[in-house]
Amino acid sequence: MSLSRRRDNGKKVNGRKRHIAVDTCGLLLAVLVTGAGTQDRDGARPLLWALHACFPGIRLVWADSGYAGQLVGWAADQLRLRVQIVAKLAGQNTFVVLHRRWAVERTFSWINRCRRTVRDYERLPQHHAAMVQWSMIIIMTRRLARHQHT
C-alpha cells in the first residue's frame, strides 16, 4: 500500500481522507487529501497553512472536536488564527445539527454528487484534490447560471 493510501483503523476503511475548509455558505476555500490513517489534527496544519496563504484575512475557524488539542495553540501562535471547537452538546446521543458544523458536511455531500469524487480513482492525492476543486467549480457555476436573468 502506498503512502498516499492508508488504513483508518477507527472507521475500518482503506484509502484517502479529504480535509476541507469552507466558508459559512459551504463554498470550498482549501482542500488537502491525505492517507486515511492521518489524524484530523495532523491534516489540519497543512490545511490551515494553505488557508492562511490564500486568505490571510480569515481570523476565525470553526472545527469539530477531532481538531482539539495542540492545534488550537499552534494556529494562534503561528498563523494568528483562532480555532474555535464546536463540541457536542452535553448528554447528546442522537444526531443534532450543531451551529456551523453542518457547513462542511453539506459541502462533502455536494462534492460526492460528482462521479469522480465518489470513488478515489486517482493515483496521486494531488489529482484527487484537483477533482474536488473541479467538482466545486461545477457546483458554483451551475448556481450562478441558475440565478442569471437573461
Side-chain angles (χ1 to χ4, degrees):
M1 192 177 340
S2 73
L3 292 177
S4 66
R5 294 178 192 265
R6 288 187 261 162
R7 181 161 180 78
D8 181 356
N9 287 325
K11 293 185 179 178
K12 309 246 186 304
V13 294
N14 292 323
R16 295 192 176 125
K17 186 181 285 187
R18 291 179 268 195
H19 307 270
I20 62 172
V22 299
D23 66 1
T24 56
C25 296
L27 300 178
L28 188 68
L29 299 175
V31 61
L32 174 71
V33 178
T34 62
T38 305
Q39 294 293 323
D40 288 343
R41 60 186 155 267
D42 296 334
R45 286 185 185 216
L47 180 69
L48 290 177
W49 271 114
L51 180 66
H52 180 69
C54 293
F55 303 98
I58 293 178
R59 293 286 171 237
L60 173 65
V61 174
W62 288 292
D64 67 10
S65 57
Y67 295 96
Q70 295 178 351
L71 178 70
V72 176
W74 174 86
D77 293 340
Q78 297 293 318
L79 306 175
R80 289 177 288 154
L81 190 64
R82 187 166 68 112
V83 177
Q84 183 176 338
I85 304 299
V86 182
K88 287 183 179 181
L89 302 172
Q92 175 186 343
N93 56 6
T94 60
F95 176 76
V96 177
V97 176
L98 296 175
H99 182 66
R100 301 294 181 203
R101 246 172 96 168
W102 56 268
V104 170
E105 299 304 325
R106 179 182 62 181
T107 303
F108 277 131
S109 72
W110 293 341
I111 291 168
N112 281 335
R113 289 182 185 168
C114 295
R115 182 184 66 82
R116 291 285 293 264
T117 57
V118 173
R119 300 273 188 277
D120 185 14
Y121 298 111
E122 314 308 324
R123 288 185 71 188
L124 298 174
Q126 297 87 348
H127 295 168
H128 188 72
M131 288 299 133
V132 170
Q133 290 172 335
W134 194 6
S135 66
M136 282 305 295
I137 290 169
I138 292 168
I139 291 164
M140 290 186 288
T141 53
R142 284 183 181 162
R143 283 193 191 161
L144 287 171
R146 186 177 355 154
H147 296 294
Q148 289 291 331
H149 296 287
T150 55

